[in-house]
Amino acid sequence: TLYDTAVSIYGRQVEAVHAPEDDGTAYLYAGPLDQKTRPFCLERVGRVFTRAEIDDMDNGQISNVFLTGGGWNCRHRFVEISRFSELQELKGTNRRVPEIDEQLRRFKARRKKAA
């Protein structure tokens, strides 16, 4: 757990070095949707956030969500969105990227069927 978490944090730190200082920069919370996905990540995957919104998040495990994502063993990351991307329209909304929204619906249906 410590190794996997450290490797994930290191990867996010490398990306953070190149991240702009602008609080208005948009980031997509990206990563897998599977049985290992915890509620924190499930709630955020496919959504677009500003750096200020990310800095206000609390994963309930490890501080600095920008670097630690959903906490221990998290496989998700914040991907910077180009200011020219149509994904900018999702910033400040509670909507997800349409493809991920559909994937999440199928995932939840499979999870419900298995229960």
Side-chain angles (χ1 to χ4, degrees):
T1 296
L2 292 174
Y3 175 80
D4 290 342
T5 303
V7 169
S8 292
I9 291 173
Y10 176 75
R12 291 184 197 106
Q13 285 175 321
V14 169
E15 292 178 12
V17 166
H18 301 289
E21 296 291 325
D22 177 15
D23 281 349
T25 300
Y27 296 89
L28 171 67
Y29 195 64
L33 278 171
D34 56 25
Q35 296 302 325
K36 294 180 180 181
T37 305
R38 290 185 298 243
F40 176 90
C41 297
L42 199 59
E43 183 180 317
R44 290 164 179 79
V45 71
R47 292 198 169 126
V48 176
F49 302 97
T50 64
R51 178 62 189 265
E53 290 171 323
I54 297 166
D55 289 343
D56 285 342
M57 291 179 188
D58 180 2
N59 61 28
Q61 296 180 12
I62 311 171
S63 62
N64 193 346
V65 172
F66 192 68
L67 296 180
T68 63
W72 301 108
N73 289 322
C74 179
R75 300 163 296 148
H76 299 84
R77 62 193 192 105
F78 292 99
V79 179
E80 184 180 344
I81 302 296
S82 165
R83 61 188 170 114
F84 303 109
S85 171
E86 67 273 1
L87 295 179
Q88 286 284 344
E89 297 171 10
L90 298 175
K91 185 171 57 173
T93 72
N94 207 21
R95 297 187 342 250
R96 296 179 199 272
V97 172
E99 295 85 356
I100 295 175
D101 202 28
E102 179 58 33
Q103 183 182 1
L104 182 62
R105 272 194 282 278
R106 289 192 310 266
F107 171 73
K108 286 182 176 181
R110 283 193 309 269
R111 190 184 234 181
K112 187 176 181 180
K113 192 180 281 188

